[in-house]
Amino acid sequence: MRRRHGFPPRNGEKQPISEFAPVGKFGRLFPRLRPFTPSIDSLTDLGNAMSDPSPEKPEGDNLKVPAGFTYLGQFIDHDITLDTTALQEIIVDPLAVVNFRTPMLDLDSIYGSGPEAQPYLYQLDDPDLFLIGTTNEAPGAGDSKIKTKLPNDLPRLSSTLAVLGDSRNDENLIVAQLHLAFLKFHNKVVAGIRDGSIKPTNSIDKSVFEQARELVIWHYQWIVIHDFLTRLIDKEQLERVLKQGREFFLFKDQPFIPVEFAVAAYRLGHSMVRAVYDYNRVFTPLPGGVTPATLELLFAFTAKSGQLGDFANIPIPSDWIIDWNRFYEIDPAVPVNHSRKLDPFLVDPLKNLPNVPPPNSLAVRNLLRGRSVGLPSGQSVARFMKFKRLTRAEISTGADGAVAVQHGFDIESPLWYYILKEAQIQAQGEHLGQVGSRILAEVFVGLLEGDSSSYLVRNPDWKPILPAQIPGTFTMADLLKFVGDLSPIDDPNNLNP
């Protein structure tokens, strides 16, 4: 029997097992499972062992997931969660932690509260459209022939800080350029509605802005379910949730964000990060480029993460405009960056995060965060969900496994580590295994079913209407092709003679 909107089951049905949380809070999927709280030292040892031994070897690449999905995942995360609590050793009640984002796939990180409440996000003379920023007036050092002041940066204040619905989208250049792509996507949809080339359904009594916003959000929601999730999780688990309904993520009136999702399963993206990217024709690994686009540079060349004054480049120089062909499967002639496999290994730059209080290792921080919110062990979650648990022999494999055995984590494992190990064992690192897949499927479908304005509630049979390689579907590659500006620095019109 399919349940909708997250209401409690009818008499005789299986009773809910999620911990209901008030709006704007985090909560638990499995409140009956005891917290797993190993020692801080043991988690630190395990986190330090979760290091990619060969970050540049192609054997560690996930050929089924282009690298753009790593940062789409971060963009989605910024759309649904914002936890400002400090990392600490004591156990924190998730129901007492405020989520400063609406737990909905509604692009509030883009739209904010709309042009009336937040007019500074929109064009003053045409508030249906987003502001678009320009690149730096100084030419880039990588290629001084590229014209300056191109419309390919986030809108910024004179202080260089980006004017955004969520400032975290200026943390690194790839997410910043992705945010910009969504601003352009909305503006392109507005233009299409105005000239009649785009004809939204159910447009009666809606302004052009409202029509465009709904169309953008629905296509984005379609991408999340049918392009993003289908690449990163076991499709069987997604189909079961879509067709048979949710079993674990249940809520009263509106959805919340479960900590098992936010602090464990959805931190899969940290394993997908590369240390070096083929960013565009200028910043690409040698030979051929000026210098590789290292992870450190992608963070340093932003106003939020970089140190002001380190570079004369904020707004970004024009030679740092992204080439989307290298991040999504758009042009078969352009090799695409691949994400790293989903496994218990993170690249070296993530072992030494700058500008954060110790510990500086992202893996250690993730494990300690799981402890602080009282996550259950991976084995107890697998048992509760009636999935086959990883064996002690499977967990003991690899350098990470040897450390896990030393601390008894082959018997009970931290949930985040277990989910990554499960992906490595069950899916060879190509996608998440059963536990991780089911948590993501339940939560993302639940977020849509708990949102009265989502396409899944308003019109479950709806199909995308914008141009796509396969009509009736829509992917990130389709979105970027629709927007255009796939690689502005390769446009002859953007080069000085």
Side-chain angles (χ1 to χ4, degrees):
M1 179 180 297
R2 182 163 177 75
R3 301 189 196 103
R4 303 304 299 273
H5 308 297
F7 291 109
R10 300 184 181 90
N11 292 335
E13 291 186 34
K14 186 177 179 181
Q15 291 302 304
I17 52 179
S18 292
E19 185 165 287
F20 297 145
V23 176
K25 299 289 187 179
F26 289 83
R28 296 187 189 277
L29 282 179
F30 312 109
R32 298 177 186 174
L33 299 182
R34 64 176 179 84
F36 180 52
T37 55
S39 72
I40 292 172
D41 287 344
S42 66
L43 293 176
T44 301
D45 285 349
L46 179 61
N48 288 332
M50 296 175 67
S51 181
D52 193 334
S54 306
E56 295 309 313
K57 285 191 175 181
E59 296 93 301
D61 288 348
N62 187 351
L63 301 183
K64 295 192 175 182
V65 181
F69 288 96
T70 307
Y71 297 92
L72 176 61
Q74 186 178 6
F75 177 85
I76 294 168
D77 177 60
H78 294 173
D79 185 33
I80 59 177
T81 65
L82 175 55
D83 174 10
T84 60
T85 57
L87 180 65
Q88 51 193 337
E89 298 177 5
I90 61 173
I91 299 297
V92 176
D93 179 7
L95 272 71
V97 178
V98 175
N99 178 16
F100 289 93
R101 272 274 164 262
T102 57
M104 299 177 186
L105 294 162
D106 59 359
L107 288 177
D108 61 339
S109 60
I110 293 286
Y111 287 102
S113 300
E116 292 189 7
Q118 293 182 290
Y120 47 84
L121 297 176
Y122 300 86
Q123 296 183 20
L124 183 62
D125 59 346
D126 191 348
D128 286 346
L129 301 175
F130 281 112
L131 281 173
I132 301 294
T134 59
T135 54
N136 202 326
E137 295 184 13
D143 188 344
S144 60
K145 291 184 179 180
I146 301 172
K147 291 181 179 179
T148 59
K149 300 189 71 173
L150 295 174
N152 288 288
D153 192 18
L154 298 170
R156 298 184 183 277
L157 300 171
S158 58
S159 65
T160 73
L161 289 177
V163 183
L164 304 176
D166 191 318
S167 64
R168 294 173 298 169
N169 283 351
D170 195 27
E171 282 181 347
N172 68 70
L173 282 180
I174 301 178
V175 172
Q177 292 281 283
L178 186 59
H179 188 110
L180 174 65
F182 273 89
L183 299 181
K184 291 182 176 182
F185 181 39
H186 169 89
N187 289 358
K188 191 77 176 284
V189 171
V190 168
I193 293 172
R194 286 175 171 175
D195 67 22
S197 60
I198 296 175
K199 296 179 172 58
T201 57
N202 302 320
S203 60
I204 299 176
D205 297 328
K206 291 182 181 178
S207 67
V208 170
F209 175 82
E210 290 169 334
Q211 294 177 57
R213 180 178 179 274
E214 180 177 80
L215 205 57
V216 166
I217 290 175
W218 282 16
H219 281 77
Y220 160 68
Q221 292 172 347
W222 183 277
I223 286 172
V224 171
I225 298 297
H226 297 286
D227 192 21
F228 177 73
L229 276 189
T230 55
R231 293 173 183 269
L232 294 177
I233 72 174
D234 181 352
K235 293 181 182 178
E236 178 185 352
Q237 296 303 323
L238 179 59
E239 287 301 312
R240 288 180 62 181
V241 174
L242 286 171
K243 293 179 180 178
Q244 300 175 26
R246 291 170 278 118
E247 295 182 35
F248 307 104
F249 183 39
L250 306 177
F251 42 87
K252 287 181 179 177
D253 300 313
Q254 296 186 44
F256 58 94
I257 296 296
V259 287
E260 297 89 344
F261 168 86
V263 184
Y266 200 56
R267 299 201 177 197
L268 80 166
H270 297 163
S271 176
M272 298 166 62
V273 173
R274 301 185 66 85
V276 175
Y277 290 92
D278 175 11
Y279 185 82
N280 58 26
R281 65 172 172 80
V282 178
F283 297 102
T284 184
L286 304 174
V290 173
T291 188
T294 63
L295 193 60
E296 293 90 341
L297 285 176
L298 293 174
F299 278 80
F301 275 78
T302 62
K304 183 172 178 60
S305 297
Q307 297 298 306
L308 196 62
D310 281 358
F311 302 98
N313 63 355
I314 300 174
I316 66 169
S318 51
D319 56 5
W320 271 108
I321 301 169
I322 199 168
D323 179 356
W324 287 119
N325 298 291
R326 300 170 192 244
F327 288 87
Y328 293 95
E329 296 162 324
I330 297 173
D331 184 348
V334 180
V336 67
N337 293 278
H338 293 103
S339 66
R340 298 295 283 175
K341 286 183 176 178
L342 288 162
D343 54 31
F345 306 125
L346 279 62
V347 294
D348 276 355
L350 299 181
K351 291 173 61 178
N352 296 290
L353 299 177
N355 307 319
V356 298
N360 299 96
S361 163
L362 182 58
V364 173
R365 293 176 69 86
N366 285 346
L367 293 169
L368 294 182
R369 174 67 78 183
R371 182 185 188 276
S372 74
V373 299
L375 292 183
S377 71
Q379 286 85 347
S380 64
V381 172
R383 185 187 304 112
F384 192 90
M385 299 180 90
K386 296 182 171 58
F387 290 136
K388 182 180 178 181
R389 285 168 288 161
L390 296 180
T391 67
R392 295 180 65 181
E394 288 171 332
I395 291 177
S396 68
T397 56
D400 61 294
V403 175
V405 170
Q406 291 176 14
H407 297 288
F409 293 147
D410 55 331
I411 301 173
E412 278 196 292
S413 310
L415 183 57
W416 177 63
Y417 173 75
Y418 182 93
I419 285 171
L420 292 178
K421 195 73 175 182
E422 184 188 55
Q424 181 187 43
I425 298 297
Q426 292 184 354
Q428 295 72 56
E430 293 182 348
H431 57 74
L432 291 182
Q434 290 179 317
V435 169
S437 294
R438 189 54 179 262
I439 291 175
L440 260 62
E442 293 257 343
V443 171
F444 276 114
V445 172
L447 293 181
L448 290 183
E449 291 183 341
D451 177 3
S452 61
S453 64
S454 75
Y455 85 85
L456 208 55
V457 173
R458 293 273 302 280
N459 188 356
D461 297 322
W462 176 83
K463 303 293 183 190
I465 66 170
L466 295 178
Q469 183 175 356
I470 301 175
T473 67
F474 203 67
T475 66
M476 270 305 300
D478 292 324
L479 183 152
L480 293 166
K481 285 189 285 187
F482 173 77
V483 170
D485 294 334
L486 292 173
S487 183
I489 71 170
D490 292 315
D491 184 342
N493 295 321
N494 292 334
L495 298 177
N496 292 312

